Amino acid sequence: MNAQQLVDERGDLWLALAPLWLDREPSERDFAAMVEEIQRHEMTLKELEWMFRLELAPVMSRHQLSIASEWREYDDYKLMKQLVSHNLRLTGWRRKSWALFSGLTTMMVRHRWHELMQRVLIARGEHPS
């Protein structure tokens, strides 16, 4: 897959989910936009989980842990470049390494992810657990 295909297939979803890593709790508007974008992509919860763990968390957690700046907003263009670069290299041992360490890269936003998945289930007409 090339960079343009990644942007076309995942870019909107990645940017919609980026607020999970901001210094503030996502607003109702943020959650609604995330659910709406997820619904457009028609991914299973399992596919969403792996996208969250492997495609987003390794890049986003670096921003969240950075002491260089406050992480209250992000530059879409710069962030997309970082996400595309990461995902183009996400093969073989790199994919396995990120899978292994994904608990560490997702732990600070896991509660937000659970909240989002509950909202996705409700939007799909399924009973949240």
Side-chain angles (χ1 to χ4, degrees):
M1 188 175 295
N2 66 37
Q4 189 59 53
Q5 287 173 306
L6 278 171
V7 170
D8 292 345
E9 290 179 19
R10 292 281 213 252
D12 291 338
L13 183 56
W14 288 339
L15 292 179
L17 297 177
L20 291 171
W21 279 270
L22 293 177
D23 280 346
R24 60 169 174 76
E25 288 297 317
S27 67
E28 287 298 319
R29 184 180 302 168
D30 291 330
F31 277 122
M34 288 181 224
V35 170
E36 185 178 320
E37 192 61 42
I38 287 170
Q39 295 295 77
R40 271 199 280 276
H41 283 79
E42 300 178 354
M43 296 172 74
T44 67
L45 294 183
K46 190 173 190 173
E47 290 169 328
L48 286 166
E49 176 71 24
W50 283 108
M51 186 262 323
F52 168 68
R53 292 170 132 205
L54 299 178
E55 296 176 19
L56 279 169
V59 173
M60 303 304 291
S61 62
R62 284 183 227 143
H63 287 284
Q64 191 176 36
L65 296 173
S66 170
I67 60 170
S69 66
E70 289 186 27
W71 183 234
R72 298 195 180 280
E73 58 184 54
Y74 48 85
D75 176 305
D76 287 354
Y77 179 75
K78 182 178 175 184
L79 182 58
M80 187 61 66
K81 282 177 55 176
Q82 292 169 340
L83 287 164
V84 167
S85 176
H86 165 74
N87 281 278
L88 287 174
R89 293 186 317 265
L90 192 57
T91 59
W93 68 269
R94 279 192 173 100
R95 184 174 205 78
K96 290 175 184 169
S97 294
W98 284 119
L100 181 64
F101 293 106
S102 64
L104 294 173
T105 59
T106 61
M107 72 180 177
M108 293 182 70
V109 296
R110 182 55 69 178
H111 66 286
R112 295 173 182 174
W113 181 253
H114 285 305
E115 172 68 23
L116 176 60
M117 292 301 99
Q118 295 293 311
R119 291 169 185 247
V120 168
L121 285 172
I122 292 168
R124 292 179 176 180
E126 298 177 31
H127 190 293
S129 52

